[in-house]
Amino acid sequence: RQIDSVHQALIYMGMDQVADLVFLTGGAENLKKGQKGYDLEEGELWRYSVSSALIAREVCEKKGSKNNHLVFTAALLKDIGKVVLSQYVADSIDNINDLVSEEGLSFREAEQEALGIDHAELGGMVAEKWNFSAGMVKIIRNHHMSEESLGKDFDTSVVYLADTLCMMMGVGVGCDGLAYRFHRGVVEGLGLSQEDIQEIMAGFGDRLQQVEELISLT
């Protein structure tokens, strides 16, 4: 259908869809470039971010959350720290990989050890600089669950789960791959069954076309 005005778009698509497209367009500029340090080619981090956001929104809808937009946007922008940190990771990647393989650190912990900061913490700093809400900053800063107690926070748990499922499905996986800690208690705390997780993952295969369409729009 041909749209002639923003007003018509709001009526036809609904405020929720328009808001999501605005966030997508704003995020694309920062996340579409390649991140050499994380072995991500151009567009890969963006595809991963869009996929995470869609999965996070689906989980919110399943659980009847009222914070869909907050969670969607946080999932979309959670890896903004990688954009800034990529060059420094590239310079220290051998050291980081050694810390992961020989000392059993997660990739985030190895970043912290080698560089003095990790991409999640740096992402939180960027979010603060952009004057995002305290809730958004908390999710971005803790999307790898640096503290197990954060598993009690629904919004952070949803973004963590979306991030984990994307990695498990091989969407936008770079050199950090699955080198993160899996907190089973977080999934259990969300009240999702094994069948729910399988349904989300299976259904996402059908939604990959939607991801590509959203990416092409941005």
Side-chain angles (χ1 to χ4, degrees):
R1 176 176 173 180
Q2 191 172 33
I3 301 296
D4 296 319
S5 68
V6 173
H7 183 258
Q8 281 187 344
L10 287 170
I11 294 173
Y12 181 64
M13 298 177 65
M15 178 63 82
D16 289 352
Q17 291 295 325
V18 172
D20 287 349
L21 283 173
V22 169
F23 285 128
L24 283 164
T25 303
E29 181 180 351
N30 291 297
L31 296 169
K32 270 194 168 181
K33 298 176 182 178
Q35 284 73 44
K36 180 181 177 182
Y38 294 93
D39 196 25
L40 291 168
E41 299 295 330
E42 183 175 349
E44 285 190 288
L45 182 59
W46 184 226
R47 183 172 288 101
Y48 176 69
S49 300
V50 173
S51 299
S52 296
L54 291 175
I55 291 174
R57 185 171 64 187
E58 182 177 352
V59 174
C60 281
E61 290 169 354
K62 276 183 175 291
K63 303 304 295 183
S65 169
K66 297 180 180 179
N67 286 339
N68 292 21
H69 285 306
L70 169 67
V71 172
F72 179 89
T73 309
L76 188 71
L77 299 178
K78 67 184 181 308
D79 284 316
I80 192 66
K82 284 187 174 182
V83 177
V84 182
L85 207 58
S86 177
Q87 177 185 339
Y88 303 98
V89 169
D91 293 340
S92 303
I93 192 62
D94 290 339
N95 186 20
I96 291 172
N97 285 336
D98 287 344
L99 289 167
V100 171
S101 60
E102 296 177 12
E103 298 190 24
L105 300 185
S106 70
F107 197 91
R108 183 194 64 79
E109 291 165 343
E111 283 180 323
Q112 185 78 41
E113 180 74 19
L115 304 173
I117 196 168
D118 62 80
H119 70 272
E121 177 65 28
L122 185 56
M125 294 169 65
V126 172
E128 286 179 335
K129 186 71 175 177
W130 287 350
N131 292 320
F132 284 173
S133 69
M136 179 84 71
V137 172
K138 180 175 69 174
I139 295 171
I140 292 174
R141 179 170 280 140
N142 297 289
H143 71 270
H144 285 301
M145 286 294 171
S146 54
E147 298 179 22
E148 191 107 24
S149 61
L150 288 163
K152 298 177 181 178
D153 182 86
F154 176 84
D155 297 337
T156 305
S157 296
V158 170
V159 174
Y160 166 79
L161 175 62
D163 186 57
T164 301
L165 292 183
C166 280
M167 286 191 284
M168 290 173 65
M169 291 186 290
V171 179
V173 176
C175 64
D176 48 345
L178 289 171
Y180 294 100
R181 306 204 184 283
F182 178 66
H183 302 286
R184 186 176 301 277
V186 173
V187 180
E188 294 172 351
L190 287 171
L192 294 170
S193 66
Q194 201 65 34
E195 290 72 24
D196 290 329
I197 299 297
Q198 291 172 359
E199 181 182 332
I200 292 170
M201 293 177 71
F204 189 73
D206 298 330
R207 297 182 70 178
L208 280 176
Q209 182 178 353
Q210 183 185 3
V211 173
E212 298 302 327
E213 289 173 353
L214 286 171
I215 289 173
S216 68
L217 283 173
T218 55

